[in-house]
Amino acid sequence: MADLAEIEAMIAAALPGAAVEVIDETGAGDHLRATVSAPQFEGLSRIDQHRLVKAAIKKRFDDGQIHALSIKTSLPQ
């Protein structure tokens, strides 16, 4: 089971200045949804934005704590 605060912190550390929210979609702690708004997404395709987010938490995919992650990205308003 993933620690949501840790996942948020990992993403925020990889994308300084980002607004990050992670929720547990199923209650089991391994299917998550991340909403991330970051200035680093400027000029990137949606796929590349998602790759940045997934790279930030790769360790939790590798150790099996996260099975699935739904991602919504945007630029800060």
Side-chain angles (χ1 to χ4, degrees):
M1 178 178 221
D3 177 339
L4 300 183
E6 177 195 28
I7 300 302
E8 287 181 0
M10 292 170 81
I11 296 169
L15 299 166
V20 182
E21 179 185 25
V22 177
I23 62 168
D24 181 354
E25 291 195 304
T26 63
D30 61 348
H31 287 71
L32 309 178
R33 180 184 310 149
T35 303
V36 184
S37 177
Q40 292 88 343
F41 296 154
E42 180 75 39
L44 296 180
S45 69
R46 187 78 63 198
I47 290 172
D48 287 336
Q49 293 173 18
H50 289 204
R51 285 181 179 147
L52 285 178
V53 174
K54 287 186 89 169
I57 58 173
K58 182 181 183 310
K59 183 177 180 179
R60 292 295 161 251
F61 275 104
D62 291 348
D63 68 15
Q65 287 189 36
I66 299 174
H67 176 72
L69 177 68
S70 170
I71 303 170
K72 180 179 179 187
T73 57
S74 65
L75 289 170
Q77 297 298 321

